[in-house]
Amino acid sequence: MSCSRAAVINISSSLGSLETTSTETKIPVLSYKASKAALNMLMRGVATSVEKDHILVVMLCPGWVQTNIGGPHASLHVTESVESLIKLMATLSNSHHGRFFNQTGVVVPW
Ligand SMILES: NC(=O)c1ccc[n+]([C@@H]2O[C@H](COP(=O)([O-])OP(=O)(O)OC[C@H]3O[C@@H](n4cnc5c(N)ncnc54)[C@H](OP(=O)(O)O)[C@@H]3O)[C@@H](O)[C@H]2O)c1
């Protein structure tokens, strides 16, 4: 990504994916998932509206990370996740605009 280009990079979650969701019943988890689905929907609209201004909008999932949210058994250390995200961010271009990816650049289904 060119340093001169504005970008809105949203930290979403694959838990917000409607296509891959499990049948979760716990309200706090459901609320979290709904908030990420809402973020994705909002940012897809924003992506369209700022396209003319050449502003890049992307949704990224950091993976399952050992933080307060992810817990100690998560598969990724914070450093691994952040390094992957930074590497990916450096490759972002028009082809990523308005889309949803995990930390390695694989598309996450809506
Ligand atoms: N960890 C994962 O496995 C994982 C997976 C997918 C997506 N994500 C996303 O990654 C992002 C970072 O999360 P994390 O894993 O780094 O979690 P984290 O360590 O628990 O950090 C969450 C941060 O959000 C802040 N926060 C929580 N509720 C807030 C509120 N109501 N108003 C303002 N700030 C609030 C917390 O502030 P305090 O420290 O002051 O409480 C904390 O700085 C989040 O968007 C999360 O959804 C994480």
Side-chain angles (χ1 to χ4, degrees):
M1 182 175 61
S2 160
C3 290
S4 60
R5 184 172 186 182
V8 180
I9 299 176
N10 301 278
I11 302 301
S12 187
S13 170
S14 57
L15 289 181
S17 168
L18 290 171
E19 279 181 52
T20 65
T21 194
S22 60
T23 47
E24 179 60 58
T25 55
K26 295 187 199 82
I27 293 297
V29 182
L30 275 175
S31 305
Y32 176 76
K33 292 168 82 165
S35 76
K36 293 302 189 182
L39 171 72
N40 293 344
M41 177 62 83
L42 177 68
M43 286 299 151
R44 274 201 82 172
V46 169
T48 303
S49 66
V50 301
E51 206 157 6
K52 63 182 183 321
D53 303 309
H54 200 56
I55 298 170
L56 190 67
V57 178
V58 180
M59 281 56 77
L60 298 180
C61 175
W64 186 25
V65 191
Q66 293 160 17
T67 62
N68 284 343
I69 291 175
H73 304 298
S75 53
L76 298 173
H77 188 268
V78 170
T79 312
E80 284 177 275
S81 171
V82 171
E83 279 177 358
S84 295
L85 288 171
I86 289 172
K87 209 166 137 189
L88 177 61
M89 285 179 202
T91 70
L92 295 177
S93 67
N94 282 345
S95 66
H96 298 90
H97 185 65
R99 300 177 68 199
F100 185 15
F101 302 91
N102 74 6
Q103 81 285 1
T104 63
V106 174
V107 171
V108 182
W110 295 118

